[in-house]
Amino acid sequence: MNRARPTEPLVRFADAEEINPFQLLLDLHDHAVARTPGPRLDDVLTELALSAAVVSWWTRWQPSMIHTALRAGADLTDIAKATGLDASDVLRRWRRWADVQTRLDIGGRLSMDPIEVRAIERRLGLGVVR
């Protein structure tokens, strides 16, 4: 990430994905604000590439924010309202992410404590059944 700005139009997802995620949001905003009534092909492809990269980034980042909200005491209904997802989708995304994080060993330590995940599951009335 954080590569130099391209000199030619950014029309490929692979190129857009190389940009810092926060810069992606700014670039997409700037591109949308500058849109003209009759956009050129490169303009349309640039917007598609930028928006696809934003969605891809957010899809990977969202579960960790769901976990943060759960740790802060939010329930599935609160998070569903905040994300516009069904509570079952919130739970599915969080559990898939948490399953990976509780198995991810970094230098002999797990990325996330499985006990913390089980405590959140119990608070939500989920138990540990999968």
Side-chain angles (χ1 to χ4, degrees):
M1 288 197 180
N2 295 330
R3 68 184 179 91
R5 305 302 295 160
T7 56
E8 44 191 68
L10 188 127
V11 297
R12 295 177 344 130
F13 171 78
D15 295 331
E17 195 175 36
E18 295 289 322
I19 298 172
N20 173 293
F22 296 104
Q23 186 62 52
L24 267 176
L25 292 170
L26 293 171
D27 289 354
L28 182 58
H29 170 268
D30 293 347
H31 187 79
V33 168
R35 184 183 304 132
T36 58
R40 297 172 306 129
L41 178 58
D42 282 353
D43 293 335
V44 175
L45 293 175
T46 295
E47 189 163 337
L48 282 171
L50 290 170
S51 59
V54 166
V55 168
S56 176
W57 164 67
W58 179 246
T59 301
R60 292 186 306 268
W61 189 56
Q62 187 182 47
S64 71
M65 291 306 301
I66 290 171
H67 181 72
T68 300
L70 289 168
R71 288 179 67 199
D75 62 26
L76 291 176
T77 303
D78 295 330
I79 297 168
K81 288 178 182 176
T83 60
L85 299 169
D86 291 332
S88 61
D89 288 334
V90 169
L91 182 59
R92 181 180 48 77
R93 290 177 190 202
W94 173 71
R95 275 192 159 158
R96 185 175 15 179
W97 176 84
D99 285 347
V100 170
Q101 297 304 310
T102 56
R103 291 189 315 264
L104 181 62
D105 184 305
I106 301 172
R109 295 188 59 203
L110 293 175
S111 175
M112 184 170 34
D113 186 353
I115 295 170
E116 178 182 11
V117 172
R118 287 193 297 273
I120 290 171
E121 289 175 328
R122 278 192 300 278
R123 180 175 60 82
L124 295 175
L126 303 172
V128 292
V129 177
R130 301 222 188 252

